[in-house]
Amino acid sequence: MHPEIDSLIIYEDAHIIVCHKPAGIPTQTARIGTPDMVSMLKTHLAHSSKGEPYLAVIHRLDQPVEGLLVFAKTPAAARELNRQLTTSGFGKYYRAVVQDVPEPAEGTLEDYMVKDGRTNTSRICDKSTPGAKSARLHYRIEKIFKDSDPAASLIKIKLDTGRHHQIRVQMAHIGCPLAGDRKYGDQKSTEPLGLCAYRLEFKHPATQKDMVFELP
């Protein structure tokens, strides 16, 4: 097994691979010579497969974000996981450190967002904006860092839609940008992005058994 990937694979069977993506490694990239999760997993699969191994990306995490990802090893598994992803049978949960303290302590954010491919950024927009897509998440404050200056808090987030930079944009929009977010928050920050995809829930694409994975 690939030494880098060995410690990152949490679960594997004939249909799926669940792994822990470290911060700083892209899910998939076209840049030659840059290691990404897809190329590392394909190298791992090549040891036990004849010919080019099949691996489908189901969902992605931004390069600076660490957390859980599931990949499909067969076209049938990919179809079923994508079906769950688009019909809300797929649970994606995050922890985030944000500046300030969101009001109220628990709430749902519903916005429309549009992506600018030229700058690789997204922004909140009107429903009528060309390319606008609905964005929805639910958050709850888990801890307020009372000694922090300026104020900061740890929140849990359930993502209902998977828009580009969604959590980062929606939290910044309510005045609580993520710690270390130089794109949507403090441009001078030197700390890592305070975001982790810590929990993943879905039904196994072949057995329909409930699958739940959580990082400590």
Side-chain angles (χ1 to χ4, degrees), residues 93-123:
Y93 298 84
Y94 293 74
R95 278 197 176 96
V97 177
V98 298
Q99 293 173 17
D100 217 335
V101 181
E103 291 276 351
E106 182 169 356
T108 298
L109 303 182
E110 293 189 79
D111 298 291
Y112 282 88
M113 288 177 56
V114 64
K115 179 182 176 181
D116 182 341
R118 197 172 41 83
T119 58
N120 192 36
T121 57
S122 290
R123 62 179 173 85

Side-chain angles (χ1 to χ4, degrees), residues 29-178:
T29 182
R31 284 194 190 136
I32 305 297
T34 303
D36 62 18
M37 295 306 295
V38 168
S39 57
M40 288 196 292
L41 286 168
K42 280 191 169 180
T43 301
H44 156 67
L45 292 173
H47 292 311
S48 55
S49 70
K50 297 180 181 73
E52 174 75 14
Y54 180 90
L55 188 76
V57 176
I58 305 301
H59 58 126
R60 297 167 191 271
L61 292 174
D62 295 339
Q63 188 166 333
V65 180
E66 80 161 302
L68 294 166
L69 286 169
V70 59
F71 296 87
K73 290 171 66 175
T74 69
R79 278 195 302 276
E80 171 55 22
L81 288 173
N82 276 313
R83 185 193 67 77
Q84 291 181 40
L85 193 63
T86 53
T87 58
S88 77
F90 206 89
K92 294 185 287 184
Y93 298 84
Y94 293 74
R95 278 197 176 96
V97 177
V98 298
Q99 293 173 17
D100 217 335
V101 181
E103 291 276 351
E106 182 169 356
T108 298
L109 303 182
E110 293 189 79
D111 298 291
Y112 282 88
M113 288 177 56
V114 64
K115 179 182 176 181
D116 182 341
R118 197 172 41 83
T119 58
N120 192 36
T121 57
S122 290
R123 62 179 173 85
I124 304 293
C125 65
D126 290 331
K127 185 179 181 177
S128 58
T129 304
K133 291 181 176 177
S134 65
R136 178 186 160 102
L137 63 78
H138 185 84
Y139 74 85
R140 187 179 83 239
I141 295 176
E142 198 167 52
K143 182 180 181 181
I144 296 172
F145 300 111
K146 292 190 169 66
D147 300 334
S148 174
D149 183 28
S153 45
L154 175 69
I155 60 172
K156 271 187 176 177
I157 293 166
K158 182 180 188 296
L159 205 53
D160 292 335
T161 54
R163 306 301 173 214
H164 177 254
H165 292 173
Q166 182 181 335
I167 293 172
R168 298 163 68 179
V169 171
Q170 285 192 290
M171 294 313 298
H173 187 64
I174 62 164
C176 297
L178 269 60

